[in-house]
Each structure stands twice: as C-alpha cells, then as structure tokens.
Amino acid sequence: MTQPARHRISDLSAEKRALLAQKIQTRVAGGTIRPDHYDAVILGGGAAGLTLALHLRRERPGIRVLVAERQRHPVPEATHKVGESTVEIAAHYLRDILGLGEHLQTQQIRKFGLRMFFSSEDNADIAERVELGSSVFPPLATYQLDRGRLENELGAACSREGVQFLPGSKVVDVLFSTDGSHHEVQLLTDSEEHSVRARWVIDATGRGRLLPRRFGLRKDVGHKANAAWFRVGHPIDLGTWSDDRTWHARIREGRRELSTNHLMGPGYWVWLIRLASGSISIGIVAEGGAHRFEDFNTLERALGWLAEHEPQCARAVEEHREKIQDFRVMKDYSYSCDQVYDGSARWCLTGESGIFLDPLYSPGLDLIAISNALVADLVTRSLDGEDVSALASVHDALFRRVTDMWLAVYENQYALMGNARVMSSKVIWDTAFYWAVFGLLFFQDKFRTVAGSPSVAADLERLTDISNRVQAFFREWAAIDDSPLEARFVDLYSPLNFMVKLHAGMADDLPGNRFPERFSDNARLLAQLAGQLVTAVIDAHGDRYDDDRVIAQVQAWQRDPLIADLIAAHRRERQNTPTSEGWIALRPSRPGESTAGHEPNGADSMEQQSSEVSYA
C-alpha cells in the first residue's frame, strides 16, 4: 500500500475504517457475504419493526435485514393491539411508501374520518349531543386496521422482499461493538441459542423497551392517563342509536359507524372502531386525576363505568355481552425518551420502544412512519460510508422536539373534554395544525432535511411557540366559559375553507423550492387562525364586567405579546385570505350584554361563512 493511501485511511473515522475492512474482506472472499452478518437487525416484529424492515428494503433493495420477533407468525387475525385507526401520515406511509394499497383497500376498512360526540346531561340520547365530524369523505383516504391482518401482511411482504424474518425468536442479549465493527445479537429461536452480527441494531420491542431499559433512557412526562379496551364480535352500529331524521340527514355520504367514533366527557373519552373482521374495538381512556384506574381496570368494572357515563354504549355492549372477545388495560401509558438515535454507537429506537404519547387522534403509526424515515436515512447513509454521528444528533433532536409539540396537545388538556364549546374549536385547530405542519412535512419527505433549510427551521420554531400558546389558551378559555353548547353538528371539513385547503395541500406536487414557500404559507395561515380564535373569544367575553376573574383573564390576553402578534396576523391577513368563522362556537350573549362575537348555528351557518381560499 502506498504512503498516501495509508495516510488517507488513517484519516478515516473508526466506523469508516471498519466498513472499508468489511468491503475488502468481502472482495478477498470472492464476493461472498457471511450468512450471519446483516446491515441491520431489528429487535421486534410488530408494526414498527416490520414496516421499518420493508422500508429499508424499498429504500435499498440489496440491504441485508433481519427481524427477530418473539411471537410466532402468522399471528391470530384477532391480535389485539392499540393502533387500530390511522390518520393521513400513517395511511400515506402504508399505502404509498410501503406499497400496501391493495391490502388496505380489500382487507381493511376505509375510515369515515374522526367523529366526536360531547356529553349532554345523562348521555341517554346521542342526537342530543354536540357532534363533530365530517359529512363527506375527505379525498386522502385513511383506514381502520385489523392489526392481526396488517401484521401478517407485513410479515409476508417482508419475506417477499428478502428480509430475513425470524418469528418465535427471543432476544437474549446485545453486545455492542466499541471499535466500529459489527454488533453481536444473541437470539433464542426454537430453544436454540445462536448469534448474528449487525452493523445497526434497531429496537422495535414496543413496551418491552429493551435498549431504553439498558441505557436508562426513559423520560417521564406530565401526562397521566390510563386505558382499558376490549373487542366485541358483533358490528355494533352507533348510527342506529337514534331515529331522529334531522340527525341522520347531517351525513351526506358514508356511515357514522365507519368513523373513529369518540364519546367525550369530562376527563375521558371512549372509542368505538369498526374492524373488517366484523368485530368492534371499544376503549375507555381517562385522565388519572378525573377517573380512577381502579374503576375500570377489569371487564366488570369497565362495563359498570360505561353504564354510568355512556349508557347507550353500555346497553349496546350488554346486548352482545357473550361475544366479548378479550380485555386489556394500560396504566400510565404516556412516556418519552432522552435519546432515540445514536449514530456513533449505531443503534436506534422506533415505535413504542422510544416514545408513546396518547391514543387520541391516533398518532402511534404516524410516529412510527416519521421515525422509520429518519432511521432509514441514517442506516443507508452509514452503509454508503458516511459518518452519521452528527446527523443522528440532528434527527434525534428533531424527532423528540416533534413529539414534545405533539404531547402538548394532550398534557393538561383532558379536563377540556367536558367542554364542547372549547373542544370543538380545539379539535379543528389540532387537525389543521397536523395537516399544515406534520402532514405536509411527511408527505413531501422533508423531515430528513428540516435542519438544512433555514426558513423551514425558523418557521417550525415559530409554530412551536404558537402551538404551545394556543393549547394554553384553550385551558384559559375553558376556565372562564363552561357554558353548555346546545346540540348541533360541527362539520370539521367541507364548510371550512382552510381545512379543505390544508388537507388536499399535503399531497400537492411541490417541485424545487416550492416547499419552503408552502410551509411558510401554512405558518402564516396558522398564525391567522390563532389570531382569529383569540380575537373572537376576547370579543365575546370583553363585556363581562360583573366577573372580575373574566376581566382579569381578558386583560392578561391583551397584555400578552404573542397573543398581540397573533391578533395582528389575523387583522393583516383576513382581507386577502378570509377564513371561515364557523369553527369557533362562542357563548350566547346574556340580556343586556353586547359582544362582537356571535354563535353560529352549526353546519348551515358555516356553509354561509365559507369563502374560497387558494394557494398563491
């Protein structure tokens, strides 16, 4: 070897020297690759691990991937896991990136969007509750998932794509290399111990959290909530709970039973999710301070809790009690992590092994999709010889920042669930923010490059501040206005011009430098919407001179510099890009009061207030 060549090799990092040595050894051996050596070994073959394996093979067809899964395959179709509902990011990931469109269309259910029914007195009549949902199918399809079906299809797809899939395998230990060579993963398969070697190790063990427990990475969060859920082998149809013709006429297409239905109350919500197998998944989710876990942590207690809080649901379950298939609980389910990616040590976490926030809005598979894209970026770049230590730190900081923003949607917010007036606006805001920010970033494959775009990074910083302030604003609004909202339908999609715009905009073709411009447009729109919200609420409560607490809050809002900026954004933009007003349900005026706010009368008034807005 020449002297300059030796100098060039000595300048390489330890990881690059080890990779070069591996390539040289492969050439010397006549191009053969040791069968027990892999580019990536994924610990865990649930949804997170299997989608990552498939993603890696789609990104790099020649990559050598092994998935070790404790459970045997095929799993029972009745596999009962949280994550039966998808929203736009996860649906796009499964359908368009992983190529599972035919499976989703033929073996799963197209979802009729998000739907919520807010408590009204004793909840004895669903038609007397405020309903929030869509009257039509939005164009970007989402799905309800039978998880057993999905994971079997993922396992089969991985095998077809050349992934080495080892169901029935327990991870005994992982011995991490310190010199840039392969890690050693010790497995127990069919009672026999064996080892494989891996350039990268990815923990997808779910709540087993193998690597976080080893490295002490778990991070507690302030959100404390619990869940219990079961499935009934009968297609319970929430749409049959009322004979009211006006109530049925709200829906222009689709059926309510195909929505991800939520029965909302103070400190809790109950999900009802229809599955393609004919079963229905029913779950109770409650904040610990409002509802004791011990009141619903067994099947009998859960049914009693439903009878007290959601009697129509309880009666429907009792009619088919003999068809209850299972029962699961999860206590204090929310947690975060101090680190999810390490480029120097060549390990990553994905799925619930790293961070789990909350089931409301179905973010679990979304976070898997986002994380898998970042992990695949690190692994493939590393295999190309790039030192990804710094990039892993950037991706790690971005992912944890995104999850912190997402967590604020839930933390200290469950108390609002009994306030239909505030929650109807919050759900629309949360959905608009999701489509405008996280959805657009993922559909346009820009999470990997946020740090490389100064304007996008600056807009994301600004949006973080706006999001956190608006979430606090919802709590402040609820504290001064707990007045009931009469039964009505709040259509969260078609009558609201900005919602139609943001939903479709995620999938737009944005060539060249159009993405930063669009992201900036969305940031301005969200600032405008936030300003519209706070302006309307301040106007509606500014004349309540007889209540010192209300006046003090209004004055605090008026002194807040960020609130002032948002109001200014609304006033500046509303003439050129007017936004529908029907998403804000304001308190009715009392006799003798004058307010600049108004209270729309549901979908009809929102149709009248809607105006066309298009991207420039």
Side-chain angles (χ1 to χ4, degrees):
M1 184 179 293
T2 65
Q3 188 73 14
R6 280 197 291 270
H7 282 312
R8 288 198 297 271
I9 293 173
S10 66
D11 290 338
L12 296 175
S13 66
E15 181 178 354
K16 288 187 177 180
R17 288 199 300 272
L19 188 60
L20 178 61
Q22 180 189 1
K23 290 180 178 178
I24 293 172
Q25 290 169 2
T26 298
R27 289 176 183 172
V28 171
T32 61
I33 299 176
R34 292 186 56 175
D36 62 342
H37 280 51
Y38 294 89
D39 297 313
V41 170
I42 300 171
L43 314 178
L50 291 172
T51 53
L52 176 59
L54 193 56
H55 190 140
L56 286 168
R57 290 289 295 188
R58 294 293 171 88
E59 286 270 318
R60 188 69 57 86
I63 195 171
R64 289 175 52 78
V65 181
L66 179 142
V67 178
E69 163 58 22
R70 179 192 293 263
Q71 193 171 10
R72 294 193 176 277
H73 266 237
V75 299
E77 188 175 80
T79 294
H80 192 199
K81 296 184 179 181
V82 173
E84 295 155 321
S85 175
T86 65
V87 281
E88 285 80 6
I89 289 176
H92 171 58
Y93 184 58
L94 296 173
R95 180 185 60 239
D96 305 319
I97 296 176
L98 301 186
L100 299 176
E102 182 178 356
H103 170 79
L104 294 171
Q105 292 168 17
T106 62
Q107 301 299 314
Q108 307 290 356
I109 290 177
R110 181 174 180 182
K111 171 178 166 178
F112 188 31
L114 169 75
R115 193 166 305 277
M116 294 182 174
F117 300 90
F118 297 97
S119 285
S120 174
E121 298 182 353
D122 60 0
N123 290 334
D125 183 356
I126 197 167
E128 293 300 316
R129 303 173 73 154
V130 174
E131 177 183 5
L132 179 146
S134 182
S135 59
V136 298
F137 279 102
L140 300 179
T142 56
Y143 308 92
Q144 314 280 41
L145 301 177
D146 254 310
R147 284 291 296 273
R149 286 187 180 186
L150 175 66
E151 292 183 16
N152 286 335
E153 175 61 22
L154 286 169
C158 283
S159 296
R160 292 193 300 269
E161 294 284 341
V163 172
Q164 183 69 25
F165 183 32
L166 292 181
S169 295
K170 177 183 177 182
V171 179
V172 177
D173 200 3
V174 181
L175 305 177
F176 285 95
S177 162
T178 57
D179 61 2
S181 60
H182 282 68
H183 306 312
E184 180 181 351
V185 181
Q186 299 175 349
L187 302 171
L188 180 66
T189 305
D190 295 329
S191 301
E192 292 187 7
E193 289 195 18
H194 61 108
S195 296
V196 295
R197 305 281 175 166
R199 291 291 304 159
W200 282 80
V201 172
I202 296 96
D203 184 352
T205 57
R207 289 180 177 265
R209 309 190 79 207
L210 191 150
L211 296 188
R213 285 188 289 107
R214 169 179 288 195
F215 299 141
L217 298 175
R218 179 183 171 104
K219 179 181 177 181
D220 291 331
V221 298
H223 182 44
K224 304 296 181 183
N226 309 299
W229 69 101
F230 56 93
R231 286 167 313 127
V232 181
H234 182 84
I236 292 173
D237 183 359
L238 172 148
T240 65
W241 292 2
S242 175
D243 296 325
D244 187 288
R245 292 183 179 180
T246 302
W247 186 75
H248 283 282
R250 294 171 177 173
I251 307 302
R252 304 211 303 260
E253 63 182 35
R255 306 195 308 273
R256 284 184 174 90
E257 63 171 326
L258 301 183
S259 295
T260 298
N261 286 297
H262 303 67
L263 308 177
M264 312 292 291
Y268 78 85
W269 57 284
V270 173
W271 80 65
L272 295 96
I273 300 175
R274 278 289 310 278
L275 303 173
S277 61
S279 297
I280 187 168
S281 175
I282 299 176
I284 299 168
V285 187
E287 192 270 322
H291 299 269
R292 297 190 318 142
F293 180 56
E294 293 75 18
D295 289 341
F296 57 87
N297 65 348
T298 69
L299 177 59
E300 289 300 323
R301 290 173 180 173
L303 296 179
W305 188 97
L306 284 174
E308 178 182 354
H309 297 281
E310 295 293 343
Q312 283 192 290
C313 181
R315 284 195 298 273
V317 172
E318 285 293 340
E319 289 177 9
H320 307 284
R321 182 168 179 151
E322 75 284 359
K323 296 182 180 179
I324 293 177
Q325 297 170 318
D326 42 35
F327 182 79
R328 300 286 178 85
V329 298
M330 195 176 291
K331 184 176 183 180
D332 194 15
Y333 53 68
S334 186
Y335 52 83
S336 186
C337 202
D338 284 323
Q339 185 177 8
V340 290
Y341 314 132
D342 190 319
S344 298
R346 289 173 284 119
W347 60 259
C348 296
L349 314 177
T350 194
E352 291 184 32
S353 65
I355 295 172
F356 183 83
L357 302 179
D358 195 275
L360 185 68
Y361 302 136
S362 308
L365 285 169
D366 282 358
L367 293 178
I368 287 172
I370 295 168
S371 178
N372 283 358
L374 295 174
V375 171
D377 189 47
L378 295 173
V379 172
T380 54
R381 285 172 178 262
S382 171
L383 295 176
D384 286 340
E386 183 177 335
D387 184 344
V388 297
S389 301
L391 181 64
S393 296
V394 171
H395 283 0
D396 178 81
L398 173 65
F399 185 76
R400 290 187 295 111
R401 181 177 183 183
V402 165
T403 56
D404 284 345
M405 290 174 66
W406 224 311
L407 180 63
V409 172
Y410 310 109
E411 196 166 7
N412 301 315
Q413 304 295 69
Y414 265 52
L416 307 181
M417 291 178 178
N419 189 323
R421 192 178 302 280
V422 174
M423 274 299 296
S424 58
S425 293
K426 173 174 159 56
V427 172
I428 293 172
W429 165 266
D430 292 344
T431 306
F433 193 94
Y434 167 81
W435 290 345
V437 181
F438 304 135
L440 185 67
L441 283 167
F442 189 80
F443 271 74
Q444 303 297 324
D445 191 22
K446 297 300 182 183
F447 272 104
R448 296 180 300 155
T449 59
V450 167
S453 175
S455 68
V456 173
D459 282 331
L460 189 60
E461 181 81 24
R462 167 74 169 163
L463 286 165
T464 302
D465 293 339
I466 292 173
S467 177
N468 291 339
R469 185 64 190 92
V470 171
Q471 294 300 332
F473 179 84
F474 286 127
R475 293 193 296 273
E476 295 159 358
W477 178 15
I480 64 169
D481 188 357
D482 59 357
S483 58
L485 187 62
E486 73 277 6
R488 63 172 66 186
F489 179 49
V490 180
D491 193 327
L492 63 73
Y493 177 67
S494 55
L496 300 179
N497 57 354
F498 58 90
M499 295 295 276
V500 173
K501 167 184 174 180
L502 293 173
H503 174 85
M506 288 185 287
D508 280 352
D509 182 15
L510 299 176
N513 63 355
R514 287 283 292 138
F515 177 79
E517 181 182 345
R518 173 64 63 81
F519 197 72
S520 183
D521 289 344
N522 283 2
R524 283 194 297 273
L525 176 60
L526 288 169
Q528 178 185 352
L529 290 171
Q532 180 184 23
L533 173 70
V534 298
T535 297
V537 173
I538 288 173
D539 286 350
H541 294 276
D543 289 344
R544 293 176 64 185
Y545 302 120
D546 58 339
D547 192 325
D548 292 343
R549 184 172 56 95
V550 173
I551 295 302
Q553 180 60 75
V554 170
Q555 291 174 344
W557 286 332
Q558 292 170 333
R559 292 192 299 267
D560 187 318
L562 182 49
I563 293 287
D565 287 347
L566 297 174
I567 292 173
H570 168 55
R571 291 174 177 168
R572 183 173 60 249
E573 301 290 341
R574 63 184 175 183
Q575 296 301 321
N576 295 326
T577 56
T579 51
S580 307
E581 298 178 357
W583 66 289
I584 308 170
L586 301 175
R587 61 184 289 272
S589 299
R590 293 181 298 179
E593 282 187 338
S594 63
T595 70
H598 67 279
E599 184 162 21
N601 294 315
D604 291 340
S605 67
M606 285 189 281
E607 293 277 12
Q608 295 167 6
Q609 294 155 5
S610 177
S611 56
E612 291 299 322
V613 175
S614 61
Y615 285 112

